[in-house]
Amino acid sequence: MARTGAAGPGELSDEVFAMLFILVLSLVIPLSLSIWVVSLFMNSAYDGALYPISPWRLLFAIIAPLFITIKGLKKRSLDVSGALSGFVVGFVLTVSNLCFFSCLLAFFGISSWATKFKAEKKRALEEDFKEGGQRNWIQVLCNGGVATELAILYMIEFHPGETIIDFNTRYNTCWLVLSVVAGLASSCGDTLSSELGTVLGGQPRLITTWQPVPKGTNGGVTGVGLAAGLMGGLAVGVAYYVTILLTNEPLLDSVSQWPMVLYAGVAGLLGLLLDSFLGATLQYSGFCDEQKKVVQFPSPTTKHISGLPLLDNHGVNLVTSVIISLTMPRLGYQLWPY
């Protein structure tokens, strides 16, 4: 009988993960208290102009991302570099606003599940297939790096903490909140669309010409993929909305916050459409006669399908995240009831 928790080649055992988690956890409390003391000192040095961070917020901002990244590493959703960068992204988003953390948690959970869904079928279609997904630091930062930078600006403009969307009282702060949510919703929608549309959708069509293309072609869309992208964005919006209800006083006399669900859904849909357009035009797709699958680089055995070899998948994700994060708040401002 095989030993429970035995590690395969290149994997860490359950015992090693437990020891690693306990070791890091033993450093969490003194680390969070040290950061809290530093924040108090800086607040005093700047005559109270800086907002001190609660030690409990710091503690949660360390423990929660740490637990998630270790689980992601164990389940092979992340490699080591992806786990380290994911912890940094998670810490910044969590310490800045718990709503950002819940959005990130929804994105990570949904994308990890979707990546493993019908993995054997994806193995036959994808040139760069990795078991479990195993996202590295480049993928983590291209999907979450923009939101992380915006979260830092949010803390500078406002302070670490949750706030309702009300453009009449906190215009700049609300703009930054919508930017962060839009970026995460866009990445979630695009990931869910790509992972599910490939294995559940019918014949994909190139978004620029609407001609049928092989599955796995950059810029190919299906009805299932479009619906999945919308649902991914909505999931991020629901995560934000539930968290803002739990972390704020009763909102009866405040501006309605439910539009965030629809806003995030639109961001997810528009994000996948923009990603598909960039993929169809600036990212190479060709069918390799030897591998019998769509590949991302030209070769003598490859027949061109679409796109120029200017961006890879990471570049497309990064450009999409930047554009959606910077443009969607304008739509939110115009449509938000206030």
Side-chain angles (χ1 to χ4, degrees):
M1 180 179 294
R3 181 173 62 89
T4 302
E11 297 182 27
L12 297 178
S13 66
D14 291 341
E15 291 80 3
V16 173
F17 268 102
M19 292 177 62
L20 177 62
F21 187 75
I22 293 173
L23 175 63
V24 176
L25 195 62
S26 66
L27 303 175
V28 165
I29 294 179
L31 177 60
S32 63
L33 289 176
S34 299
I35 298 176
W36 176 59
V37 170
V38 171
S39 70
L40 289 177
F41 174 78
M42 293 182 65
N43 185 57
S44 300
Y46 284 87
D47 298 324
L50 298 180
Y51 189 88
I53 305 174
S54 164
W56 295 111
R57 177 178 290 272
L58 286 169
L59 189 64
F60 182 76
I62 294 174
I63 292 179
L66 178 65
F67 177 78
I68 294 170
T69 51
I70 288 180
K71 291 290 289 185
L73 189 63
K74 187 176 186 300
K75 292 181 176 294
R76 305 178 71 180
S77 298
L78 301 166
D79 65 10
V80 175
S81 68
L84 292 174
S85 57
F87 173 77
V88 174
V89 169
F91 173 79
V92 172
L93 291 175
T94 305
V95 78
S96 60
N97 190 323
L98 292 179
C99 297
F100 298 164
F101 165 74
S102 63
C103 292
L104 178 65
L105 183 62
F107 171 35
F108 179 74
I110 291 172
S111 62
S112 297
W113 168 80
T115 299
K116 297 175 182 178
F117 182 73
K118 293 187 179 293
E120 291 303 318
K121 191 172 182 179
K122 294 173 185 175
R123 187 194 301 273
L125 295 172
E126 299 175 2
E127 176 190 18
D128 56 349
F129 175 84
K130 293 181 181 180
E131 192 68 40
Q134 299 185 50
R135 289 173 171 80
N136 58 28
W137 69 272
I138 299 177
Q139 292 168 296
V140 170
L141 294 183
C142 285
N143 285 282
V146 175
T148 302
E149 294 181 17
L150 291 167
I152 294 174
L153 294 177
Y154 168 84
M155 287 190 285
I156 296 174
E157 173 68 27
F158 184 55
H159 57 68
E162 296 65 54
T163 182
I164 63 172
I165 301 298
D166 185 355
F167 284 100
N168 292 319
T169 58
R170 300 189 183 101
Y171 179 85
N172 292 339
T173 301
C174 293
W175 192 280
L176 290 169
V177 171
L178 292 181
S179 293
V180 173
V181 174
L184 294 175
S186 170
S187 296
C188 185
D190 176 61
T191 301
L192 196 61
S193 173
S194 300
E195 299 294 346
L196 298 187
T198 302
V199 295
L200 293 180
Q203 179 71 52
R205 293 181 176 273
L206 196 65
I207 193 171
T208 52
T209 64
W210 211 244
Q211 295 297 315
V213 290
K215 289 188 175 183
T217 301
N218 297 308
V221 297
T222 64
V224 171
L226 294 174
L230 176 63
M231 295 302 296
L234 289 174
V236 170
V238 169
Y240 180 96
Y241 181 60
V242 171
T243 307
I244 200 66
L245 292 180
L246 295 175
T247 56
N248 275 267
E249 296 297 327
L251 305 177
L252 297 178
D253 298 328
S254 304
V255 176
S256 298
Q257 301 301 296
W258 62 262
M260 182 63 82
V261 178
L262 300 180
Y263 170 82
V266 173
L269 181 60
L270 293 181
L272 82 88
L273 290 174
L274 177 59
D275 187 280
S276 298
F277 176 79
L278 294 175
T281 55
L282 302 180
Q283 188 176 2
Y284 180 87
S285 292
F287 189 83
C288 180
D289 293 329
E290 289 186 352
Q291 301 183 49
K292 302 300 181 184
K293 62 178 64 174
V294 175
V295 296
Q296 312 299 318
F297 301 98
S299 71
T301 61
T302 300
K303 181 181 179 181
H304 178 262
I305 299 174
S306 64
L308 301 173
L310 298 179
L311 294 175
D312 61 6
N313 193 53
H314 306 316
V316 169
N317 289 339
L318 179 60
V319 172
T320 299
S321 182
V322 170
I323 293 176
I324 292 297
S325 296
L326 296 182
T327 58
M328 277 299 296
R330 168 58 63 180
L331 177 62
Y333 174 72
Q334 296 295 332
L335 299 181
W336 207 279
Y338 59 90

